[in-house]
Amino acid sequence: MRVGPGVTRVHAPLRPGAIILARHGEPALSRKCLITARQYGEWWGRYEVGGLRAGQIPPRELVAAAEGAGAIYASTRPRALETAAAVCNGREVMVDALFIEAPLPPPRLPDWIRLSPRWWGVVSRFCWHLSDRHHQEETRAAAAARAEQAAQVLIGRAEGGQDVLVLAHGYFNHMVGRRLQADGWHLVQNQGFRYWSQRRFEKR
């Protein structure tokens, strides 16, 4: 359609792309053991520097999300980097420590208490929420500020109209997702927080 003299052409506002927060694949380090709180601290240290269990195939849906994304971010942790390598098929990935997991410092409990790493994670996260002093670890308040910063980085990218994919960690992704929702983004697809899962947010 031709626009006559004196008529201003009105452009529709660009709709933001989606923000997809995905969790890494299953780590190689086994959770099938009973350990003390002190040993859990050592276990978590190994978990942070470990990669994925061999032989995993990423879900086709997550591979498709990577194919359709205009920007892909990954945490600096090996389990996130190996996830990116498995999902992104050689695509450029922006690796950023901004997306690393919120810490899980173990509580100071006697050695006669022995739990699996999974349950120590639950106990440690609960204690982390209750206290702002964590033996030189990042505090809950500091992690919340980091999550807000991460959310704003992703929003800035998505506002260009392309989808943004993040390959990172369960709990910190949850924190970022809450900040996105507080900024008016809607959770339109929710696969939970299991390994390889994704949660898709859109601005409506």
Side-chain angles (χ1 to χ4, degrees), residues 13-44:
L14 185 65
R15 181 175 179 175
I19 296 174
I20 304 162
L21 305 179
R23 191 182 182 195
H24 56 75
E26 181 181 351
L29 186 60
S30 175
R31 296 172 183 260
K32 296 179 180 179
C33 56
L34 292 177
I35 54 179
T36 67
R38 176 178 49 80
Q39 290 170 331
Y40 175 68
E42 299 166 355
W43 183 95
W44 179 259

Side-chain angles (χ1 to χ4, degrees), residues 105-125:
R108 291 177 175 174
L109 294 175
D111 283 354
W112 61 265
I113 300 175
R114 301 172 72 86
L115 300 171
S116 71
R118 174 174 178 167
W119 282 107
W120 276 125
V122 173
V123 172
S124 298
R125 185 64 71 207

Side-chain angles (χ1 to χ4, degrees), residues 78-133:
R79 59 193 187 277
L81 296 176
E82 291 183 18
T83 299
V87 167
C88 296
N89 195 29
R91 290 277 311 278
E92 179 184 1
V93 177
M94 291 173 281
V95 180
D96 197 330
L98 182 63
F99 299 100
I100 64 173
E101 181 61 292
L104 274 173
R108 291 177 175 174
L109 294 175
D111 283 354
W112 61 265
I113 300 175
R114 301 172 72 86
L115 300 171
S116 71
R118 174 174 178 167
W119 282 107
W120 276 125
V122 173
V123 172
S124 298
R125 185 64 71 207
F126 177 77
C127 294
W128 182 77
H129 269 277
L130 292 181
S131 173
D132 269 338
R133 302 185 68 179

